[in-house]
Amino acid sequence: MSRSYLSNIKTKYIGRYIDYYSCIDSTNIQMKRVGKNMPEGYTIVAEKQENGKGRLGRVWQSQSCDSIYMSILLKPDIHIAQVPIITLLCGLSVCKTIERVTGEEFGIKWPNDIVHRNKKLAGILCEGCMTGDKPEFVVVGLGLNVNNRIFSDEISSKACSLYTIQGKDYDKKDIICDILSDFEQYYEMFKKNAYSFLDEYKEKCVTLGREVSFQKNSLSLSGVAYDINCNGDLLVKTDGGNVTVSSGEVAVQGIY
């Protein structure tokens, strides 16, 4: 473990205190172990993860040193119901960073996947450690494919990396610095007005306007996603009426 990882970071507090691991079980798991005693903005970065997780308990393949695995500690004064909004906030800030770095256009598959031409580039897992109706702290985890050349057969048809998109390697430290800087700006906006970024998120959300299918109350439903509300829920127009989707897997037509 090292604490001299990013010398050129320009943030005020996000990522100013970083622990770097060559290998770890999971940056999110480690953050949940220590987050209570760490300052807001504390960040964990790992070269490899042995037990990386995505949403809904999925395994995030993370044995390659070509990707970015990181978690950021937040201590916002918000209600528990607002925690999912932070996932959207991080998704938007990462999307904007990668667009600026590459000159390419990216989208967001609700709620937390960064996509390029219908393939997944990055995923975000936001977890709150709760005390009553407020989070004691929030962990924002990010997995971003950077210099990956190949993927396993299981995900090769639906995953991409910055390398496969542009055919060149990137300095992961530079990208991490940019992500932390952009996230701090969006997070400061969030603290002043939790919903100030939502319209910008909707503009990047490739789920809106598409046919989606999902499970709710043990029923298989489908319809057209038409909006996202202030809680970060997806609103879907079905034959039986409008439905609010707050969690679970949503399959989007034409996107993996």
Side-chain angles (χ1 to χ4, degrees):
M1 184 180 72
S2 168
R3 285 183 180 161
S4 58
Y5 185 63
L6 300 174
S7 59
N8 58 334
I9 193 165
K10 297 179 175 64
T11 58
K12 295 179 181 177
Y13 62 99
I14 298 291
R16 279 288 175 179
Y17 183 16
I18 290 183
D19 278 340
Y20 165 75
Y21 293 81
S22 57
C23 187
I24 198 173
D25 50 359
S26 159
T27 59
N28 267 32
I29 291 174
Q30 177 63 12
M31 187 67 82
K32 286 187 283 186
R33 292 186 186 114
V34 303
K36 182 178 180 179
N37 299 316
M38 292 298 184
E40 183 169 56
Y42 168 65
T43 300
I44 296 173
V45 175
E47 286 293 319
K48 292 183 180 181
Q49 294 184 129
E50 295 180 334
N51 192 26
K53 289 290 189 293
R55 286 182 71 242
L56 310 178
R58 291 191 187 90
V59 174
W60 177 276
Q61 294 190 9
S62 47
Q63 291 299 307
S64 168
C65 294
D66 294 320
S67 298
I68 289 172
Y69 313 112
M70 62 187 294
S71 295
I72 305 168
L73 178 68
L74 304 178
K75 297 191 173 181
D77 183 17
I78 59 174
H79 190 273
I80 185 175
Q82 292 179 291
V83 172
I85 289 286
I86 296 178
T87 300
L88 275 58
L89 177 81
C90 187
L92 177 61
S93 66
V94 171
C95 188
K96 291 293 187 178
T97 300
I98 300 306
E99 285 187 333
R100 188 181 67 252
V101 168
T102 64
E104 299 272 350
E105 185 172 351
F106 293 84
I108 306 170
K109 177 179 176 284
W110 181 90
N112 67 334
D113 287 355
I114 310 300
V115 298
H116 180 268
R117 296 180 182 175
N118 301 332
K119 288 189 173 184
K120 182 173 179 177
L121 175 75
I124 294 156
L125 178 61
C126 183
E127 300 180 277
C129 294
M130 307 303 175
T131 302
D133 62 356
K134 289 190 174 185
E136 183 175 18
F137 60 87
V138 175
V139 180
V140 177
L142 169 67
L144 170 63
N145 299 325
V146 181
N147 296 322
N148 313 65
R149 264 90 167 151
I150 58 174
F151 296 94
S152 69
D153 292 341
E154 180 184 357
I155 63 171
S156 60
S157 65
K158 56 187 178 181
C160 65
S161 68
L162 297 185
Y163 179 87
T164 61
I165 292 169
Q166 294 208 316
K168 65 178 183 179
D169 286 324
Y170 284 84
D171 187 318
K172 291 194 300 180
K173 291 183 181 181
D174 289 343
I175 292 177
I176 290 170
C177 284
D178 287 341
I179 288 172
L180 294 172
S181 179
D182 287 341
F183 180 72
E184 183 176 83
Q185 293 181 44
Y186 275 98
Y187 184 55
E188 285 297 302
M189 290 169 54
F190 170 83
K191 289 194 289 186
K192 294 174 183 176
N193 179 353
Y195 312 109
S196 59
F197 73 97
L198 200 52
D199 285 342
E200 193 176 357
Y201 177 92
K202 292 177 187 180
E203 291 177 2
K204 301 303 300 181
C205 184
V206 297
T207 305
L208 295 180
R210 290 184 185 243
E211 185 82 19
V212 299
S213 57
F214 55 95
Q215 295 276 333
K216 184 154 187 174
N217 300 327
S218 300
L219 297 175
S220 297
L221 302 174
S222 63
V224 176
Y226 69 92
D227 203 0
I228 296 166
N229 67 19
C230 61
N231 292 321
D233 302 326
L234 186 68
L235 306 184
V236 181
K237 188 181 296 295
T238 72
D239 290 340
N242 295 341
V243 177
T244 300
V245 183
S246 57
S247 62
E249 173 67 6
V250 173
V252 183
Q253 187 180 43
I255 304 178
Y256 52 88

